[in-house]
Amino acid sequence: MVIGDGILTPAISVLSAAGGIKVDHPHMNNDVVVVVAVLILVGLFSMQHYGTDRVSWLFAPIVLLWFLLIGGIGIFNICKYDSSVLKAFSPIYIYRYFKRGGKEGWTSLGGIMLSITGTEALFADLAHFPVSAVQIAFTLVVFPCLLLAYSGQAAYLMNNRDHVVDVFYRSIPDSIYWPVFVIATAAAIVASQATISATFSIIKQALALGCFPRVKVVHTSKKFLGQIYVPDINWILMVLCIAVTAGFKNQSQIGNAYGTAVVIVMLVTTLLMTLIMILVWRCHWILVLLFTGLSLVVECTYFSAVLFKVDQGGWVPLVIAAAFLLIMYVWHYGTVKRYEFEMHGKVSMAWILGLGPSLGLVRVPGIGLVYTELASGVPRIFSHFITNLPAIHSVVVFVCVKYLPVYTVPEEERFLVKRIGPKNFHMFRCVARYGYKDLHKKDDDFEKKLFDSLFLFVRLESMMEGCSDSDEYSLYGQQTERSRDDLLNNNGHATFSNIDTTISSVDSIVPVGSSGQVSSQTETDELEFLNSCRDAGVVHILGNTVVRARRDAKFYKKVAIDYIYAFLRKICRENSVIFNVPHESLLNVGQIFYV
């Protein structure tokens, strides 16, 4: 529903702003207004890749000026036309309104709902402003100005009842009409930007939870993690926005669709908030009951009203939500099944050790980098590979790439290395960590840094084996007297710079402290062996687990897995693209998993 909101908000906001042109030119065709709105939408979505970090400083002044203007115009209209409209603040009038209007009065709540739209996307504003700023702005600016604006429009209608269709623009004094029109258009763009940002934000969260197909996420700010841009979703939103703007016959139908999306978002938010209060905050049950009861009374009232508008445009967000729900559910189901297959199929160390140092195969010169999503254990794809092929590389490194929720990971903290099995197996694990702004460099550079960390690990491992409790070396990051450069240089074979390390365990390292130099014949032999294997060539091995429905599976599962999930995997970003693997040294190893 939030994604549907991200489609409908720009459409109705920009179309309303463009409608101001027709008020000043009453003989203008409606198609011209639609064309102007479409052009504004294309410009808005085309600018998304620049991010909001550079222009967000304009948002607050524009919105503040907008609220002050509509509040001031409201005061002007109340004083000029009819100050008796302020009686509407008495609750007795809403009772009389429903009594007089009956069903039509009740269903009109669906339109009244539009006066508070936008509040459902407040979570996106937390990427720009602190909570206290939002609370103060709503209490002292937004709420009072909205009350004055609508009261002023009501006062204007008391004397101009035939202007009810476009009362906002009609009620603006002629002397300031065009300045207000410009500010209104700018405010509509800001409002649209808020819901677009909210859509990007919720897509990113769904992506992190494995509930959305892999799409490219671009972070546009160094300061704020929440300021992002999702190119694929951006263009999908633009096409759907234009379709809604040009496809609906009138603005009231878009309003009905918009109101439906907003009230359902608010309703679901309240239910989720109740879970948060119970399970996370552990609030007293009376407080939870009061919050849930009062919120649901208001929201269910509006929800019952928008149900009457489903056939008048309210079906649009329901269709959009159903489509995205289907995509997300199928993707999540397939992804979970793949991960469970890989987790349960992990190769045991006993099986690896039972194969012996040669792994029961011919160990050919070279290094094989096996990419896996598992940060621990040997993936099933490896056993599948060595079971079906008679040879494996002399050195095998299982590479797991992880993207962390930080701006960047320093180069000296990028790789975590661990040995798998005895030394003569020549098997390692390397976890490569990237921040959201780190670009995966050219593969040669990636390989060099990975091997530098691998050589460094071998040296530190050898150093630890030669240490005793009385030695000057420390397992927990205390500085040593030896020079780091002495430790990391070896006759030109491997030279490291700006890498400090701390040894965290016997079989793994975490880069951060400093160490000394201990050399042994075993260490020298292994380093020379690694160098010779690197010179022989490096092959990147990617696992590709294909999920298929069993023959006896139900029809809907076959459609979901064999067609929808397969299509989504085909169009989403491949691992080879994410890891920037050169095509000439890429080896895909496939296996089929039936569900």
Side-chain angles (χ1 to χ4, degrees):
M1 278 298 171
V2 172
I3 297 172
D5 195 12
I7 295 168
L8 295 168
T9 299
I12 193 171
S13 299
V14 172
L15 192 59
S16 300
I21 302 176
K22 188 177 179 182
V23 173
D24 198 59
H25 299 80
H27 301 294
M28 182 181 291
N29 194 312
N30 283 333
D31 292 338
V32 177
V33 176
V34 172
V35 169
V36 172
V38 168
L39 290 176
I40 295 175
L41 286 172
V42 171
L44 174 64
F45 284 100
S46 298
M47 299 294 288
Q48 289 298 313
H49 68 281
Y50 292 109
T52 58
D53 195 36
R54 299 178 183 177
V55 295
S56 59
W57 62 273
L58 282 172
F59 289 0
I62 289 173
V63 174
L64 179 61
L65 183 57
W66 162 249
F67 278 116
L68 293 178
L69 275 174
I70 64 173
I73 293 170
I75 294 173
F76 171 80
N77 288 327
I78 291 171
C79 297
K80 181 179 179 179
Y81 294 104
D82 190 352
S83 60
S84 65
V85 295
L86 296 177
K87 293 179 181 179
F89 286 96
S90 172
I92 190 65
Y93 287 97
I94 188 65
Y95 168 75
R96 293 178 182 175
Y97 175 75
F98 287 138
K99 185 178 180 180
R100 182 176 66 253
K103 181 182 177 181
E104 290 185 2
W106 188 264
T107 57
S108 69
L109 286 174
I112 296 171
M113 181 73 191
L114 299 180
S115 65
I116 57 171
T117 54
T119 54
E120 78 284 355
L122 275 180
F123 70 90
D125 295 329
L126 297 180
H128 301 81
F129 310 105
V131 175
S132 57
V134 177
Q135 292 173 333
I136 293 171
F138 260 70
T139 306
L140 301 182
V141 179
V142 177
F143 188 53
C145 289
L146 283 180
L147 292 178
L148 290 172
Y150 288 119
S151 299
Q153 292 175 32
Y156 176 83
L157 285 175
M158 294 297 287
N159 295 341
N160 304 276
R161 300 191 181 187
D162 55 330
H163 292 170
V164 66
V165 176
D166 44 20
V167 61
F168 171 74
Y169 284 110
R170 295 280 189 178
S171 64
I172 299 174
D174 294 338
S175 58
I176 61 170
Y177 181 84
W178 285 109
V180 173
F181 171 77
V182 172
I183 296 298
T185 304
I189 292 174
V190 172
S192 302
Q193 181 62 58
T195 52
I196 293 170
S197 298
T199 303
F200 291 162
S201 176
I202 206 163
I203 290 291
K204 178 179 178 293
Q205 294 172 42
L207 185 65
L209 294 171
C211 297
F212 202 85
R214 291 191 301 269
V215 291
K216 184 178 182 180
V217 177
V218 180
H219 291 260
T220 58
S221 173
K222 294 182 179 181
K223 299 178 182 177
F224 299 101
L225 175 62
Q227 294 185 19
I228 59 175
Y229 165 64
V230 185
D232 300 328
I233 300 300
N234 181 68
W235 302 121
I236 291 174
L237 289 181
M238 187 188 77
V239 171
L240 293 177
C241 271
I242 293 174
V244 168
T245 303
F248 277 106
K249 295 180 180 178
N250 56 61
Q251 192 173 323
S252 64
Q253 289 185 325
I254 303 180
N256 292 335
Y258 187 30
T260 303
V262 169
V263 72
I264 294 178
V265 167
M266 290 183 172
L267 196 59
V268 174
T269 302
T270 296
L271 297 176
L272 295 176
M273 188 67 181
T274 302
L275 292 177
I276 294 295
M277 295 178 72
I278 295 173
L279 301 177
V280 180
W281 295 346
R282 301 192 180 278
C283 298
H284 195 278
W285 66 270
I286 295 179
L287 183 61
V288 175
L289 195 62
L290 283 173
F291 168 80
T292 307
L294 292 175
S295 299
L296 289 181
V297 165
V298 176
E299 290 161 4
C300 288
T301 301
Y302 283 108
F303 180 68
S304 65
V306 300
L307 289 177
F308 293 100
K309 307 283 183 139
V310 171
D311 60 337
Q312 302 171 33
W315 57 271
V316 174
L318 299 177
V319 171
I320 294 172
F324 276 97
L325 177 62
L326 177 65
I327 291 171
M328 294 171 68
Y329 179 80
V330 170
W331 178 263
H332 182 256
Y333 177 81
T335 302
V336 167
K337 290 298 180 183
R338 280 183 63 244
Y339 189 76
E340 288 177 351
F341 172 71
E342 293 177 0
M343 283 295 294
H344 295 157
K346 284 196 301 185
V347 180
S348 68
M349 279 307 302
W351 185 78
I352 294 287
L353 294 173
L355 296 176
S358 67
L359 299 179
L361 306 167
V362 177
R363 300 295 291 266
V364 298
I367 296 180
L369 301 181
V370 182
Y371 290 85
T372 173
E373 296 180 2
L374 302 178
S376 63
V378 177
R380 182 188 181 96
I381 199 74
F382 180 70
S383 64
H384 181 72
F385 179 81
I386 64 176
T387 301
N388 291 276
L389 291 177
I392 190 66
H393 299 88
S394 298
V395 177
V396 177
V397 181
F398 296 97
V399 181
C400 178
V401 178
K402 294 295 183 181
Y403 290 91
L404 308 181
V406 295
Y407 179 72
T408 183
V409 176
E411 292 289 348
E412 63 271 16
E413 298 180 16
R414 176 141 301 163
F415 296 99
L416 302 179
V417 182
K418 179 178 181 178
R419 186 185 294 277
I420 298 177
K423 284 188 176 183
N424 55 356
F425 278 58
H426 302 298
M427 296 174 62
F428 303 88
R429 176 182 311 285
C430 177
V431 179
R433 305 180 298 177
Y434 289 86
Y436 58 78
K437 197 60 177 178
D438 290 327
L439 298 176
H440 209 144
K441 307 297 182 183
K442 289 184 179 180
D443 205 68
D444 292 340
D445 188 46
F446 172 75
E447 288 180 10
K448 179 182 181 302
K449 292 177 180 176
L450 188 150
F451 292 135
D452 285 351
S453 297
L454 188 60
F455 294 144
L456 176 60
F457 169 77
V458 172
R459 288 181 173 279
L460 290 173
E461 185 184 49
S462 177
M463 178 193 74
M464 291 180 63
E465 289 174 352
C467 290
S468 65
D469 292 341
S470 60
D471 282 333
E472 56 183 303
Y473 307 105
S474 168
L475 297 182
Y476 302 102
Q478 296 177 2
Q479 292 187 349
T480 63
E481 299 174 2
R482 295 278 186 166
S483 166
R484 180 184 68 235
D485 294 334
D486 291 341
L487 171 65
L488 301 179
N489 288 320
N490 180 29
N491 300 326
H493 283 296
T495 302
F496 308 87
S497 61
N498 299 324
I499 300 180
D500 295 340
T501 58
T502 295
I503 303 172
S504 62
S505 67
V506 174
D507 57 359
S508 65
I509 64 168
V510 237
V512 274
S514 93
S515 290
Q517 174 184 17
V518 174
S519 61
S520 66
Q521 187 61 42
T522 304
E523 171 198 334
T524 304
D525 292 343
E526 185 166 18
L527 289 174
E528 290 179 354
F529 178 74
L530 290 174
N531 269 307
S532 63
C533 289
R534 181 173 65 172
D535 295 337
V538 178
V539 176
H540 300 258
I541 304 171
L542 284 179
N544 184 22
T545 302
V546 179
V547 182
R548 290 282 184 268
R550 295 193 304 268
R551 290 185 178 181
D552 59 344
K554 295 183 179 179
F555 175 74
Y556 65 85
K557 179 178 279 190
K558 290 183 178 179
V559 172
I561 297 298
D562 294 345
Y563 294 96
I564 300 177
Y565 182 72
F567 173 75
L568 292 174
R569 285 210 69 193
K570 185 177 180 180
I571 64 173
C572 73
R573 303 181 77 205
E574 296 182 356
N575 286 333
S576 59
V577 175
I578 297 174
F579 298 148
N580 196 24
V581 176
H583 183 73
E584 60 273 10
S585 60
L586 171 64
L587 177 62
N588 264 310
V589 181
Q591 56 182 345
I592 299 178
F593 170 52
Y594 291 95
V595 296

